[in-house]
Amino acid sequence: MANPLLRALGFSDAKRAVDSIAPRRTFDDVVLPPATRRALEQALVQVTSFDLIFHQWGLGERHRNGLALAFNFAGPSGTGKTICAEAVAHALGRRLLTVRYAEVESMWMGETPKNVAAVFRLAREQDAVLLFDEADAIASRRSASVEHAFQRETNTVVSVLLQELEAFNGVVIFATNMAANFDPAFERRIRTHVLFDMPGVVEREQIWRVQVHPTRTPLAADVDFHALAERYEASGGDIHNAVLKAAMMAAGEPGPDASKSIHQRHLDDGMRDVLAGKRVMHQTLARPVESTITAFDPAEVLRRLESQLHNGRTPVSIAFLALIIAIVALILAVVR
Ligand SMILES: Nc1ncnc2c1ncn2[C@@H]1O[C@H](COP(=O)(O)OP(=O)(O)OP(=O)(O)O)[C@@H](O)[C@H]1O
Ligand SMILES: [Mg+2]
């Protein structure tokens, strides 16, 4: 076990939970809507002037706690949150320590708070920018009821995280798809929320361009990034996946490699594939279950009857409908 964190955590789950990299991607690799870029620049100014204010001007000695620069990168999937965290670390010349919280959460009762503390220790040792990816779970509200052991554990984890943030004087980034559940105490320690919006047409066209190599990717003459940007309302992550799919389709076509190139139809098919895959996921995972039970509302019944009359339904069918409604109302009244 070469990684000190693995030693500190002492169990193999940590291998999947923490990643320490020397960042390579920079802000040149990211195309952002103007509002997101502005918010990110403000966040960076806080980081770059940190040394001036807290070290050179001596305020760090007066204010020893609460110096962590904690940012929340919030927005839909594939809008560039992770890549921007890497670019922040690159701009600061530090390593990036990425923590996937879901995997820090230990199956052993009482271990998770220790794991969180160990992660901060490692970030300190490496002088790394700490990124809590998929941080929705960790920053969620503490539970008022502590009937169950797991609720007590969750509350302890949030408290440990708050203490660690208080004592840490580095940069911490939380990346979340949805920040609505943030614990208010946690919220106070976040300096800046950077909202990652979906890219508009102008940004999408640029993202298509940055996803291919400027000189080595063989693009056919019919490739039109502007048309693709207008046609598909996709995130940067979707465009990234579509380009890879297109490249695979082009490379899989028969003939010598030297004659192969990526055509517009490959890019179109790649994006259609990506969007179709997302629709399937959306339907299976996120579709709300429609309730078939609705409250009995007499006004609604009258509205329906009126509409039936306007639609020229026969009096017999209306009487039948009224009878059914009356029976339902009677049953509901008895049940209540
Ligand atoms: N704004 C962007 N500019 C350029 N490329 C982008 C942008 N957004 C996403 N990409 C591409 O999509 C890939 C995935 O983006 P990234 O992992 O940063 O998204 P994310 O917001 O962290 O998504 P998730 O919430 O699913 O973790 C990047 O590696 C990059 O290739
Ligand atoms: Mg991410």
Side-chain angles (χ1 to χ4, degrees):
M1 272 193 212
N3 188 331
L5 182 70
L6 300 190
R7 276 203 311 274
L9 297 185
F11 65 102
S12 62
D13 277 0
K15 254 186 209 156
R16 286 180 288 127
V18 180
D19 233 353
S20 174
I21 61 157
R24 285 187 300 126
R25 291 183 293 183
T26 72
F27 285 112
D28 291 343
D29 300 313
V30 196
V31 182
L32 295 170
T36 309
R37 187 162 282 279
R38 270 197 303 277
L40 201 57
E41 275 164 6
Q42 278 171 9
L44 263 181
V45 167
Q46 294 182 42
V47 177
T48 47
S49 51
F50 185 87
D51 184 58
L52 178 69
I53 297 171
F54 291 99
H55 296 138
Q56 295 184 42
W57 293 358
L59 288 187
E61 292 186 17
R62 299 266 154 191
H63 308 263
R64 287 185 187 277
N65 287 337
L67 299 187
L69 287 168
F71 302 109
N72 176 32
F73 287 2
S77 183
T79 46
K81 300 182 294 294
T82 301
I83 188 177
C84 280
E86 188 175 335
V88 167
H90 189 277
L92 298 174
R94 299 192 195 166
R95 291 185 76 77
L96 179 71
L97 198 74
T98 304
V99 184
R100 281 175 297 279
Y101 178 68
E103 285 155 24
V104 166
E105 224 166 20
S106 174
M107 59 189 286
W108 308 110
M109 196 51 83
E111 288 296 315
T112 311
K114 283 189 212 158
N115 294 350
V116 170
V119 162
F120 276 88
R121 201 160 53 239
L122 189 71
R124 233 173 259 122
E125 275 168 27
Q126 296 195 353
D127 191 24
V129 169
L130 190 53
L131 167 66
F132 282 93
D133 222 357
E134 304 151 19
D136 308 76
I138 195 171
S140 60
R141 278 167 202 283
R142 278 169 289 187
S143 163
S145 115
V146 287
E147 264 171 59
H148 301 291
F150 76 86
Q151 286 168 326
R152 281 196 293 278
E153 170 110 341
T154 306
N155 289 359
T156 314
V157 171
V158 177
S159 305
V160 167
L161 180 71
L162 292 172
Q163 281 165 23
E164 291 293 338
L165 270 179
E166 198 65 28
F168 189 64
N169 62 3
V171 178
V172 187
I173 298 169
F174 296 91
T176 58
N177 286 145
M178 181 196 65
N181 285 332
F182 268 21
D183 188 291
F186 188 80
E187 185 94 38
R188 271 199 304 282
R189 284 166 177 85
I190 303 272
R191 299 252 170 162
T192 307
H193 291 267
V194 181
L195 187 65
F196 282 74
D197 267 335
M198 288 289 282
V201 179
V202 176
E203 291 86 30
R204 291 202 292 269
E205 181 174 346
Q206 276 177 276
I207 295 176
W208 278 103
R209 285 184 204 289
V210 297
Q211 292 297 331
V212 295
H213 193 278
T215 53
R216 288 166 50 194
T217 312
L219 291 179
D222 67 346
V223 168
D224 180 349
F225 288 130
H226 182 71
L228 291 164
E230 290 217 309
R231 201 169 300 146
Y232 304 107
E233 249 182 68
S235 70
D238 296 332
I239 296 173
H240 167 97
N241 290 337
V243 167
L244 292 180
K245 274 180 190 274
M248 281 176 216
M249 285 180 223
E253 286 192 347
D257 284 356
S259 71
K260 292 176 183 169
S261 56
I262 301 175
H263 286 260
Q264 185 79 345
R265 66 187 149 84
H266 295 127
L267 296 165
D268 264 318
D269 287 350
M271 183 50 93
R272 272 197 287 266
D273 245 29
V274 169
L275 295 180
K278 274 179 69 165
R279 270 195 297 275
V280 171
M281 289 296 287
H282 195 70
Q283 271 170 5
T284 44
L285 294 177
R287 196 176 195 166
V289 180
E290 278 172 21
S291 171
T292 51
I293 304 163
T294 50
F296 177 67
D297 176 2
E300 176 62 23
V301 171
L302 277 176
R303 262 198 304 281
R304 284 191 192 181
L305 276 173
E306 238 174 51
S307 112
Q308 297 280 343
L309 275 172
H310 281 125
N311 289 341
R313 294 281 164 95
T314 64
V316 175
S317 63
I318 293 172
F320 183 68
L321 183 67
L323 180 68
I324 301 275
I325 291 165
I327 293 170
V328 172
L330 192 66
I331 294 172
L332 280 175
V334 170
V335 168
R336 278 180 191 160

